[in-house]
Amino acid sequence: MKLPHPIPYQGSKRNLADQILRMFPDNFDNLIEPFAGSAAITIASAYFFKANSFVINDINQPLINLWDTIINNPKSMVKSYHDIWHGQLGNEEAYYYEIRDKFNDTKQPEYLLFLLAKCVKAAVRYNAQGGFNQSPDKRRLGRNPSLMRDDILRVSQLLKGKIQLHSTDYQNVLDLATADDLVYMDPPYQGTGVNGGFNYAGNIEFDNFVVSLFELNNNNVPYILSYDGRTGDKTYGSPLPDNLNLTKIEINAGRSSQATLLKRSEITYEAVFLSPALVSKIDLQKVTGKQNYQTELFAN
């Protein structure tokens, strides 16, 4: 059975979750996701009994409100999504913009779920005034209500009573982490902010983020960071400082969609970085399948 995935979200690590979970230590208290998004790793961890309690955070308050409703009031969200989805039939494009306007006025979570299920590439985009401004995918109706119902109810069953939800700066959530926890971070990629012509609900400042990583190391907090990647010879993301002493592992994420459009067969590799505290708790050979694993960070 596939993992439940009620919130479509561009950049979700759902398809890589099984490989990321292999890097988890055997025993830890809480799993903490400071940049939750679709919370794919939290859901996978609950599904495979990797953790007993969870903390998710996202600076996007309406997204956290949506998670709160899905987890703690799932039947209400199932009904709301069903009614909104069926309301579009026969007037799909105009209806989408109507719901988008309602969401921007009210920030109601049920409107956000419909927008995410229907918008182009499930990509969250906000304008300078903070309004959701992504367009609809005119080729589809969005996730069928019966499938959405199953995912909502299953996620609620997995997480209800086991999770804390926050919408604050990621640094505040990292301050909660201890050496007995595990932090998984998938921050917004560099180059996806203002200069790219759109905004996520929050963009992180690189130098401050690096300081946070040093603080986690100083507190002996185990963490996994999904940070950069490469397609062919093109690498994404500025290098992290060598003296963080992180161990880099590349995950084969399959053929690049852009390369496929250009009729090239380039494979995308996403990189994860393991903290020293985490590496001390796991068997790297078992994780990577390599006898002599190279921990050098930024080899070209």
Side-chain angles (χ1 to χ4, degrees), residues 41 81 192 199 282:
I41 301 304
Y81 182 80
T192 56
N199 280 301
I282 64 174

Side-chain angles (χ1 to χ4, degrees), residues 264-275:
R264 298 200 300 260
S265 57
E266 293 174 340
I267 301 297
T268 294
Y269 292 89
E270 296 205 19
V272 295
F273 295 84
L274 312 185
S275 72

